[in-house]
Amino acid sequence: MQENVKCLIIGAGPAGYTAAIYTSRADLSPLVIEGMQPGGQLTITNEVENFPGYPEGSSGPVIMEDIRQQAIHVGARLRPGMVTEVDFSSRPFHCKLDDGTEVVAETVIVATGANARWIGMPGEAQYRGFGVSTCATCDGNFFRNKTTVVIGGGDTALEDALYLSNLCTKVYIVHRRDQFRGTMALQKQVLSTENIEVVWDTVPVDIVGVKQGFIKKVTGLQVKDVHSGEERTLEVDGVFEAIGVSPVSDLFKGQLDMNEQGYILTQPGTCRTNIPGVFAAGDVQDPNYRQAIIAAGAGAIAGIEAGRFLMGS
Ligand code: NAP
């Protein structure tokens, strides 16, 4: 089946839905392919205090559902599924969906966001889902009244540790430096929470666990002091990795210009990629700020630019 659209939006986080709101209002009748995780990273964020419009803060899923409903309200068409192939070699652009549909689009807005990174410790892969996770809000509940460790020193690590401190008896934070990267408000909260212990200047080495048949269980995290090189094992039931994110851009490799980490390059101050008519917005093109509100702003820019592009200005 072939479908012709004025604007195809790939991705459904703050950037994708905001681009959908702007392109709908510009009469571009956008089609949004929502991917595997509609709502993006905010859907795994528990408390959000810095998204404007929510005086007392809100939860990530609530904010994302509000933006999604707003996109529907102004006429955007949202569809679950994945884009499996894109061809930006000539306009209109040809994009294949996982249900076999070919979408022929006059403009494309890439808003595929970013995914959590894994450290890559030797034993990590075999304990993923058995006590090793990158999502405290998804998996924290399995560790009620247990001991966990969060690895990292950014906002995600601090938020995860605070979230887990309400469920767990004790939470360690293992950070490779002697200073956090996360915002001061979160730092203060973390440092004044009694059941959080920060293990500074320390790197993770490996997951320690036990296996009995198909049952696997984490029992500890082996860590190393960066100064003395001394290794020890923190006895924990769960390990949460919060060491940052990688852009979701593999689909566009070889067609859109990217930096070494895979962030799509856009012309400064715009969302224009190297292909006229293809725009990128949000965490997939933002290695610096990676904030929901900035992704939403970029989605607005991409939406306005797609409209202007089609009007030829
Ligand atoms: P991040 O800011 O990049 O922090 C990653 C942390 O992991 C850093 O402390 C880093 O250490 C550490 N790290 C990186 N690689 C490591 C490795 N291989 N081994 C051990 N530690 C490692 O990532 P993030 O916390 O996920 O935040 C991403 C973005 O989202 C940021 O812009 C953040 O502000 C934003 N965010 C905002 C909120 C909020 O505003 N509520 C919540 C979550 C995230 P170094 O510090 O030494 O580099």
Side-chain angles (χ1 to χ4, degrees):
M1 194 179 95
Q2 184 174 305
E3 205 170 326
N4 297 297
V5 299
K6 285 187 187 161
C7 181
L8 174 69
I9 297 173
I10 308 175
Y17 288 142
T18 307
I21 293 168
Y22 274 74
T23 47
S24 293
R25 298 188 74 249
D27 270 347
L28 266 54
S29 309
L31 173 65
V32 182
I33 304 303
E34 292 189 285
M36 299 284 279
Q37 192 184 1
Q41 292 176 80
L42 264 199
T43 54
I44 54 165
T45 305
N46 193 37
E47 275 183 44
V48 180
E49 275 189 336
N50 55 7
F51 199 92
Y54 297 86
E56 277 145 38
S58 187
S59 78
V62 168
I63 294 174
M64 283 321 304
E65 188 54 27
D66 284 352
I67 307 177
R68 185 173 186 271
Q69 288 303 326
Q70 193 173 348
I72 292 170
H73 177 74
V74 293
R77 288 173 302 142
L78 312 184
R79 194 175 297 169
M82 301 293 289
V83 176
T84 53
E85 225 178 291
V86 294
D87 179 359
F88 295 154
S89 58
S90 61
R91 269 191 71 232
F93 308 114
H94 290 251
C95 304
K96 283 205 180 114
L97 307 187
D98 56 357
D99 66 1
T101 307
E102 180 164 35
V103 179
V104 181
E106 291 175 45
T107 60
V108 174
I109 295 175
V110 175
T112 42
N115 277 339
R117 283 174 48 216
W118 293 91
I119 290 172
M121 292 176 272
E124 182 183 271
Q126 56 175 317
Y127 287 102
R128 277 191 203 177
F130 293 91
V132 180
S133 166
T134 54
C135 180
T137 44
C138 319
D139 299 327
N141 204 31
F142 299 120
F143 300 94
R144 275 183 188 273
N145 303 317
K146 296 194 169 174
T147 302
T148 52
V149 58
V150 176
I151 303 166
D155 282 329
T156 305
L158 301 182
E159 282 191 346
D160 285 359
L162 287 167
Y163 178 76
L164 292 167
S165 71
N166 289 317
L167 302 169
C168 304
T169 328
K170 169 140 190 166
V171 181
Y172 292 102
I173 299 179
V174 165
H175 183 36
R176 63 185 178 184
R177 291 189 291 134
D178 63 355
Q179 227 179 1
F180 285 132
R181 173 183 294 277
T183 42
M184 206 43 86
L186 289 170
Q187 292 195 28
K188 282 185 183 156
Q189 267 180 281
V190 159
L191 295 174
S192 63
T193 301
E194 266 185 19
N195 62 341
I196 297 180
E197 180 182 331
V198 185
V199 185
W200 301 107
D201 293 318
T202 298
V203 289
V205 175
D206 207 355
I207 306 290
V208 182
V210 288
K211 282 178 258 173
Q212 282 169 340
F214 291 113
I215 313 276
K216 291 188 253 181
K217 199 169 128 230
V218 168
T219 56
L221 177 70
Q222 191 186 344
V223 295
K224 182 166 90 175
D225 184 296
V226 294
H227 302 299
S228 66
E230 195 182 311
E231 293 195 7
R232 65 182 170 124
T233 300
L234 297 175
E235 285 181 19
V236 296
D237 305 287
V239 177
F240 289 88
E241 300 186 14
I243 60 153
V245 294
S246 302
V248 180
S249 59
D250 282 356
L251 185 63
F252 313 104
K253 278 198 175 130
Q255 303 196 59
L256 297 182
D257 289 347
M258 296 174 192
N259 73 7
E260 280 166 8
Q261 288 98 44
Y263 286 95
I264 295 173
L265 298 177
T266 48
Q267 290 169 29
T270 78
C271 287
R272 289 176 217 153
T273 69
N274 55 306
I275 307 276
V278 178
F279 306 89
D283 283 9
V284 74
Q285 53 86 230
D286 173 16
N288 295 319
Y289 301 107
R290 296 173 292 176
Q291 301 291 307
I293 187 61
I294 290 171
I301 292 172
I304 291 169
E305 287 188 344
R308 287 183 181 165
F309 178 83
L310 288 180
M311 284 192 301
S313 64

